[in-house]
């Protein structure tokens, strides 16, 4: 069985106030071309279909066009929601769409939808588990002690009662411990968003969404983030994007191959003096002028109207900053800003500063649950 694994489309995303709809239309057309060439038996889309829980009309139209094209290829399409999607809004008309073999998982209510695909070797059971938080699983398992994402995923998988003698695939949207993040991903509050790779040992392939860098986890090669189809932060500027093609044989062994994706505009980081960056010999013959760029000027003195003047050459400047003796000196006088700290870590520091002691395990568990529930309401 051949499957195409996609995730993290983030349709409707804006980056540094630039709309990426044109870029997304372009890359979806490439993906459709690859699908036509590969002729897979099914499509797996592992969450973050939209960039916001309430997407723009343009983003909805873009998804409608994409699904309509997939429907025309007469392929089963399996979709779950991610942390950026509304798990209740995304599956609108899902019961009608399934007649067209487009399966969108409903919000988690204690059960995981299983869709059976089949080839000449028999069935392949595909479990559609959308992004879940501890609060989601506690609602259906009030008696269980669920304080972390790992606890929640463990129970959700146990409830599937998978048959290990059959071929099983899991679609899910979580952060697996040991995986590499990018700057464009949303950090989950509470500091408990990581889940253990070992929980997924019973599946022949795990189609992950959530992290934007393509990567395979574990020695088996069966657990994979396909990554986002576009670069959504400059931390990914040096990476490549691709479509993951999964071939599964009759025993459940998988072989993964990649089809490269080429965006209409690249994302680049360029640095140098103003004179160097404006020299025709530097940018001529490149795509820099239309690419999304982060420019770092190394001039010791500020260049008057640098942004306006540079935009006459680099039309899509997303970020401009300086790196020189003055900025490095100023930076050294500032306190260490820990942008990666979660709300739980910040509250723990506040509590210790106020009370002269650290929180107990019981207090930490209470605060973690409260933060998790408050965040769920706000989302």
């Amino acid at each position: 069985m051949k499957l195409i694994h996609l995730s993290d489309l983030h349709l409707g995303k804006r980056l540094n106030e630039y709309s990426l709809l044109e870029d997304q239309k372009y890359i979806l057309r490439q993906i459709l071309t690859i699908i036509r060439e590969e002729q897979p038996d099914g499509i797996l889309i592992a969450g973050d279909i939209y960039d916001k829980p309430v997407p723009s009309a343009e983003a909805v139209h873009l998804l409608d066009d994409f699904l309509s094209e997939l429907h025309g290829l007469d392929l089963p399409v399996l979709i779950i929601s991610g942390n950026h999607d509304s798990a209740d809004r995304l599956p609108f008309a899902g019961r009608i769409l399934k007649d067209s073999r487009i399966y969108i998982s409903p919000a988690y209510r204690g059960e995981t939808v299983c869709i059976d695909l089949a080839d000449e070797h028999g069935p392949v059971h595909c479990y559609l588990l959308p992004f879940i938080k501890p609060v989601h699983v506690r609602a259906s398992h009030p008696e269980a002690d669920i304080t972390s994402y790992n606890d929640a995923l463990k129970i959700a998988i146990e409830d599937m009662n998978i048959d290990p003698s059959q071929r099983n695939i899991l679609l899910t949207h979580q952060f697996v411990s040991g995986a590499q993040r990018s700057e464009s991903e949303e950090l989950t509050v509470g500091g408990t968003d990581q889940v253990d790779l070992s929980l997924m040992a019973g599946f022949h392939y795990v189609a992950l969404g959530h992290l934007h860098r393509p990567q395979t986890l574990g020695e088996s090669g069966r657990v994979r983030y396909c990554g986002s189809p576009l670069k959504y932060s400059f931390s990914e500027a040096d990476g490549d994007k691709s479509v993951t093609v999964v071939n599964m044989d009759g025993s459940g062994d998988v072989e993964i191959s990649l089809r490269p994706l080429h965006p209409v505009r690249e994302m680049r980081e360029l640095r140098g003096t103003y004179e160097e960056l404006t020299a025709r010999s530097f940018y001529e013959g490149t795509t820099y002028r239309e690419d999304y760029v982060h420019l770092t000027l190394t001039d010791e003195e500020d260049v008057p109207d640098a942004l306006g003047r540079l935009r006459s050459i680099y039309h899509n400047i997303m970020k401009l900053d300086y790196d020189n003796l003055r900025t490095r000196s100023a930076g050294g006088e500032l306190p260490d800003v820990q942008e990666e700290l979660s709300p739980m870590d910040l509250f723990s520091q506040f509590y210790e500063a106020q009370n002269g002691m650290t929180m107990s395990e019981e207090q930490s568990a209470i605060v973690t649950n409260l933060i998790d529930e408050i965040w769920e309401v706000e989302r």
Side-chain angles (χ1 to χ4, degrees):
M1 177 172 288
K2 180 189 286 188
L3 301 166
I4 296 287
H5 173 193
L6 306 168
S7 77
D8 295 272
L9 307 181
H10 287 276
L11 300 181
K13 186 174 182 65
R14 297 183 67 87
L15 185 60
N16 296 92
E17 300 308 315
Y18 282 79
S19 170
L20 300 182
L21 274 171
E22 180 186 345
D23 305 76
Q24 291 173 334
K25 289 178 184 177
Y26 184 89
I27 212 69
L28 288 180
R29 285 196 294 269
Q30 270 193 49
I31 291 171
L32 286 167
T33 297
I34 290 171
I35 291 172
R36 292 187 182 98
E37 292 172 353
E38 291 289 340
Q39 298 184 344
D41 299 299
I43 311 295
L44 313 176
I45 308 181
D48 279 356
I49 312 305
Y50 294 121
D51 192 55
K52 294 182 178 180
V54 182
S56 66
E58 293 82 4
V60 174
H61 292 320
L62 186 52
L63 179 63
D64 183 49
D65 289 342
F66 184 55
L67 292 181
S68 296
E69 291 286 340
L70 290 179
H71 173 60
L73 299 177
D74 193 27
L75 294 171
V77 181
L78 282 56
I79 302 172
I80 62 171
S81 57
N83 57 302
H84 280 255
D85 300 308
S86 167
D88 290 306
R89 291 187 177 93
L90 185 65
F92 171 75
R95 285 175 291 181
I96 298 173
L97 287 172
K98 71 179 182 181
D99 294 333
S100 300
R101 296 207 295 169
I102 296 176
Y103 306 96
I104 305 178
S105 173
Y108 183 80
R109 299 284 189 269
E111 295 181 356
T112 302
V113 171
C114 180
I115 303 298
D116 288 344
L117 305 181
D119 60 11
E120 66 272 19
H121 303 292
V124 175
H125 307 294
C126 301
Y127 293 86
L128 277 56
L129 180 63
F131 176 70
I132 56 171
K133 299 180 179 181
V135 66
H136 298 146
V137 183
R138 282 198 296 266
S140 57
H141 295 76
E143 76 292 345
D145 182 20
I146 303 171
T147 60
S148 69
Y149 282 66
N150 201 67
D151 297 336
L153 185 64
K154 182 175 185 293
I155 289 176
I157 291 177
E158 287 174 351
D159 285 348
M160 295 175 194
N161 293 315
I162 64 172
D163 182 352
S165 68
Q166 300 284 313
R167 292 180 294 170
N168 301 295
I169 290 176
L170 175 65
L171 275 76
T172 192
H173 192 95
Q174 304 291 155
F175 175 32
V176 180
S177 298
Q180 186 178 7
R181 287 190 186 269
S182 300
E183 290 178 0
S184 55
E185 295 139 8
E186 183 177 281
L187 292 173
T188 307
V189 301
T192 57
D193 62 334
Q194 298 188 33
V195 298
D196 293 337
L197 179 63
S198 60
L199 296 179
M200 305 166 186
F203 297 94
H204 292 88
Y205 184 70
V206 180
L208 289 168
H210 190 38
L211 301 189
H212 296 172
R213 286 184 182 273
Q215 53 195 295
T216 301
L217 306 178
E219 297 180 0
S220 70
R222 297 183 174 194
V223 181
R224 178 167 175 80
Y225 288 103
C226 63
S228 57
L230 290 171
K231 298 172 184 178
Y232 289 132
S233 73
F234 285 105
S235 67
E236 302 172 73
D238 60 347
D240 296 316
K241 295 300 183 177
S242 60
V243 168
T244 295
V245 182
V246 182
N247 279 283
M248 179 178 288
D249 65 18
S251 64
D253 290 335
V254 297
E255 181 179 325
I256 293 171
S257 59
L258 305 180
R259 292 291 303 270
L261 291 171
H262 305 287
V264 65
R265 299 177 187 86
E266 263 294 354
M267 186 168 281
R268 304 187 185 277
E269 293 189 296
L270 308 174
R271 67 181 284 124
T273 64
Y274 179 83
E275 183 177 354
E276 290 168 340
L277 293 178
T278 55
R280 186 178 294 274
S281 59
F282 179 80
Y283 60 81
E284 198 167 50
T286 71
T287 60
Y288 295 169
R289 301 193 69 169
E290 300 305 324
D291 288 340
Y292 296 123
V293 295
H294 168 202
L295 298 180
T296 300
L297 292 176
T298 57
D299 301 87
E300 288 301 328
E301 299 295 331
D302 287 355
V303 177
D305 191 27
L307 183 59
R309 293 162 67 184
L310 285 164
R311 275 224 166 96
S312 66
I313 299 173
Y314 304 98
H315 301 155
N316 295 300
I317 299 175
M318 284 192 169
K319 187 177 180 182
L320 174 65
D321 55 25
Y322 283 85
D323 181 20
N324 52 34
L325 290 174
R326 175 178 53 81
T327 59
R328 287 194 291 272
S329 173
E333 297 172 359
L334 296 173
D336 183 21
V337 179
Q338 303 182 57
E339 296 181 356
E340 295 292 320
L341 285 182
S342 70
M344 182 61 194
D345 295 328
L346 292 170
F347 188 88
S348 297
Q349 290 183 1
F350 172 75
Y351 181 92
E352 186 172 353
Q354 289 288 100
N355 298 279
M357 65 179 71
T358 59
M359 290 192 294
S360 67
E361 290 185 6
E362 182 179 2
Q363 289 172 320
S364 296
I366 292 171
V367 174
T368 295
N369 291 340
L370 285 172
I371 291 174
D372 196 20
E373 290 171 4
I374 292 168
W375 187 257
E376 174 63 19
V377 170
E378 291 181 350
R379 288 290 292 170

